[in-house]
Structure formats: C-alpha cells, structure tokens
Amino acid sequence: MRDVVVLCRDFMNNGFFRDGLNDTAIVVILKIISEVLANRMKSLMPRIISENQSAFVENRLITDNFLIAYEIGHYLRCKRRGKYGMAALKIDMSKAYDRMKWEFFEFMLRKMGFCDKWVHLIMYCIFSVRYTSIGDCTNMNLLILSRGLRQGNPFSPYLFIICAEGLSMMLA
C-alpha cells in the first residue's frame, strides 16, 4: 500500500510516471470471441426484445424512451381525478450494469429460448474473467468477480437489455 502512495505522490510532484505503468493488456482471443457472440446476438434482438425496449436494438432509438416518459408524465399530471389512481415507477438503472447477478443472466437467456450450448458460451465468457495488477504489486491476489457485466465487452449491452426485458415482464 505504501508503494502506491509513493507512486501517486511522485506523479503529483513530478508530473510523470515510469514507462509501462499505464500500459493496457488486451486479451485478443476473448475480444474476437465476444465480438462473434455479439454479432450473432445482434440479429436476434429485434425478435426477442419487446418494442418498448429501444436501447441497443438495431433500428430503434433510445430517444423514443424520453418521449414516452414525457407523455406518461403529462398524462399523469392531467389525470388527477377519477375513481382509480395512476402511478409511474422510476427506476435508477445507473448501477445495475455492475450489480446484476449472473444467475439472472443465465435464467433470462434460458427464458428467451437460447439453447444450452449458447448459454454455456456466454456464461463462460462472463464468469471466467479475472483481474490482476501489473507492475511492482507482486503480492496482489487475483480479483475474481461474482456479478455484473464487464464494461467494453461487445455482448454486455445485449445481456443488459435482455435482463431489462425480464424486469419489464415482472412489472407487467
């Protein structure tokens, strides 16, 4: 820990750090596999995701959601009388990307009709990810995740919208 503090202090004082400290290791094979899986999922999305889900689906605009939300808000403001009340549910999805449980991904993939082999391929790409430090931090253990989607993985947005579809089904 002391090394990290010294390194940060040196950078703040000197304005640079040693070569290689900001290098990024890219795992090319996983990138290729993820891209192939994402391209295959992309063509399925318009058929398995309902029309009210517009993010990450080809030929749909996420801005449509803003228009729908505005119209719902306007309708609720105008309808203040009557025997039955109305309500809207606002859900903060900002941290959902990092917190979704992997079991839910698997459940939703199966619920959407993906075959066992496809589910296995996707899930293996998700749960085989491990993080480690590169550099002088020799005593660092592997960091193994247990939930959430990996930022930058090409099929992560599709898994997210499939899970959002599941949430919509549960709320309907």
Side-chain angles (χ1 to χ4, degrees):
M1 185 64 169
R2 195 174 61 108
D3 293 340
V4 173
V5 172
V6 169
L7 187 71
C8 292
R9 188 174 293 141
D10 285 347
F11 173 74
M12 297 305 274
N13 290 333
N14 303 325
F16 63 90
F17 41 78
R18 70 177 184 277
D19 287 341
L21 190 65
N22 201 17
D23 291 354
T24 302
I26 299 174
V27 182
V28 177
I29 299 298
L30 182 62
K31 288 287 187 187
I32 293 169
I33 291 170
S34 297
E35 195 67 42
V36 169
L37 292 172
N39 285 338
R40 290 183 178 182
M41 286 184 87
K42 183 178 186 178
S43 64
L44 297 173
M45 297 305 284
R47 290 182 280 185
I48 64 173
I49 301 298
S50 61
E51 289 188 25
N52 62 344
Q53 299 288 339
S54 56
F56 308 120
V57 179
E58 195 171 31
N59 297 325
R60 297 187 193 173
L61 299 174
I62 195 167
T63 53
D64 292 346
N65 289 346
F66 297 112
L67 296 172
I68 292 168
Y70 177 79
E71 289 297 322
I72 290 171
H74 177 72
Y75 175 79
L76 291 174
R77 278 190 300 278
C78 292
K79 183 170 179 13
R80 294 183 183 231
R81 293 185 182 187
K83 187 175 180 180
Y84 299 102
M86 297 273 182
L89 182 63
K90 180 182 175 189
I91 301 172
D92 182 7
M93 300 290 276
S94 62
K95 299 213 186 300
Y97 210 77
D98 299 325
R99 296 181 184 218
M100 284 192 188
K101 293 189 177 185
W102 291 346
E103 295 85 9
F104 190 61
F105 297 145
E106 185 173 1
F107 172 79
M108 285 306 302
L109 287 170
R110 293 186 191 286
K111 194 77 170 165
M112 293 289 192
F114 288 92
C115 71
D116 289 340
K117 184 174 182 178
W118 183 262
V119 172
H120 171 75
L121 293 173
I122 295 288
M123 295 308 297
Y124 189 79
C125 287
I126 291 173
F127 69 73
S128 64
V129 174
R130 300 181 307 176
Y131 294 98
T132 186
S133 65
I134 298 174
D136 290 342
C137 301
T138 55
N139 295 331
M140 298 292 288
N141 293 328
L142 286 175
L143 178 62
I144 301 172
L145 304 178
S146 61
R147 65 180 180 188
L149 288 168
R150 188 175 190 180
Q151 299 285 339
N153 189 315
F155 62 75
S156 290
Y158 299 131
L159 288 179
F160 182 78
I161 199 66
I162 286 172
C163 291
E165 181 75 9
L167 178 63
S168 292
M169 285 188 236
M170 286 190 276
L171 293 174

